[in-house]
Amino acid sequence: MLNCWEAALGAAVSVPVFLFVAAPYIRRYVAGGRCKSTARLEGKVVIITGANTGIGKETARDLARRGARVIIACRDTAKAEAAASEIRAETGNQEVIAKKLDLADTKSIREFAERFLAEEKELHILINNAGVMLCPYSKTADGFEMQLGVNHLGHFLLTFLLLERLKQCAPARIVNVSSLAHHGGRIRFHDLHGEKSYNRGLAYCHSKLANVLFTRELARRLQGTKVTANALHPGSVYSDLVRHSFIMTWLWKIFSFFLKTPCEGAQTSIYCAVAEELESVTGQYFSDCQPAYVSPRGRDDETAKKLWSVSCELLGIQWD
């Protein structure tokens, strides 16, 4: 009997000891790849959507340190200005600017692009970072299902409106933040806006697949322009992206040790934006600062072309 108690006590002691010893190695694994580029960005203009918090804010902070003029484009202008002010103070780069952009409203997207093109003569990097996740069913100002509308259609329109400026300033880069969740997605052309059936988790997966397919078709169309387009998975990041789900928010808090910090999650976005070795790489998907596997649905060129056509129709634009 005594031996049993000794064994139990030994196990109880050894588990926390093991975790204490292993913790640095676990954290190093969770953190994933880091962008090792030392590229400077003086004279470069960058737009980052949704950069008032999370990985977008950390991406803005890093690119500001590199000397870029950074436009933080967000729906909440107060939070955007607070983030811009913090980054200016920390980096000493006074060219970090907050601008209003609501990706759930095509009128706001058009107004943002119009103002930007009137005020800024150059654009070298566009990072389509903003996103919503696990929303209860709702629609954008234009009647699109919220996750598809913000995560895909909003960025599709923004890229369309800014593309000529990117071409004029080439070499230039477009970086689309997607997710590993694209593996669970499919483009449901018969019910794009979830009016027949809606699952908030699957809707997020569908929108992230749309990001991958958009990147693939955009890269194909931009061949020869010296404007590249790549997509990425930032990793599982401890941020407020899961705020619409009580269960996910609870799980994120419990398992935060096993999640990337926003700074760690921003590394692949930064890598795609600045790494010298990616200057002519386009149409790819990255995770942990290296190429990653794309689902078969994410490699379907016919679906990518059809999604492009349907997106143009929904947005009332002609993008040949």
Side-chain angles (χ1 to χ4, degrees), residues 100-263:
K100 169 82 171 180
L101 171 65
D102 184 353
L103 288 161
D105 185 346
T106 59
K107 181 182 177 183
S108 174
I109 298 168
R110 291 181 180 278
E111 288 175 350
F112 169 84
E114 185 178 346
R115 287 196 306 271
F116 174 84
L117 293 172
E119 296 169 0
E120 304 283 343
K121 301 308 176 189
E122 296 186 308
L123 177 60
H124 304 93
I125 302 171
L126 171 62
I127 302 180
N128 290 320
N129 165 83
V132 291
M133 181 181 182
L134 302 174
C135 301
Y137 188 75
S138 59
K139 290 187 175 182
T140 68
D142 302 274
F144 309 140
E145 185 276 313
M146 186 62 71
Q147 296 189 78
L148 184 75
V150 171
N151 298 351
H152 168 60
L153 291 170
H155 284 128
F156 188 96
L157 178 60
L158 180 65
T159 305
F160 166 74
L161 295 171
L162 298 176
L163 188 59
E164 286 307 311
R165 186 58 51 86
L166 284 160
K167 287 180 178 178
Q168 292 165 11
C169 299
R173 302 186 190 195
I174 299 166
V175 179
N176 294 324
V177 178
S178 180
S179 169
L180 183 70
H182 86 271
H183 286 270
R186 63 171 53 201
I187 306 302
R188 303 169 70 247
F189 289 109
H190 67 286
D191 189 25
L192 267 183
H193 303 298
E195 293 170 326
K196 296 178 182 177
S197 66
Y198 181 75
N199 177 290
R200 63 173 75 182
L202 289 177
Y204 179 72
C205 296
H206 302 335
S207 72
K208 294 290 102 178
L209 175 60
N211 292 154
V212 172
L213 291 169
F214 169 45
T215 303
R216 188 176 182 87
E217 179 63 10
L218 179 61
R220 186 185 70 80
R221 289 169 177 257
L222 290 176
Q223 287 178 355
T225 65
K226 293 188 177 181
V227 179
T228 62
N230 290 298
L232 66 98
H233 168 54
S236 297
V237 181
Y238 187 66
S239 71
D240 65 355
L241 186 61
V242 297
R243 64 188 178 277
H244 293 291
S245 169
F246 171 78
I247 293 174
M248 288 295 289
T249 300
W250 182 69
L251 289 172
W252 248 227
K253 287 180 179 178
I254 291 175
F255 295 106
S256 60
F257 181 79
F258 300 99
L259 299 173
K260 291 185 178 184
T261 65
C263 181

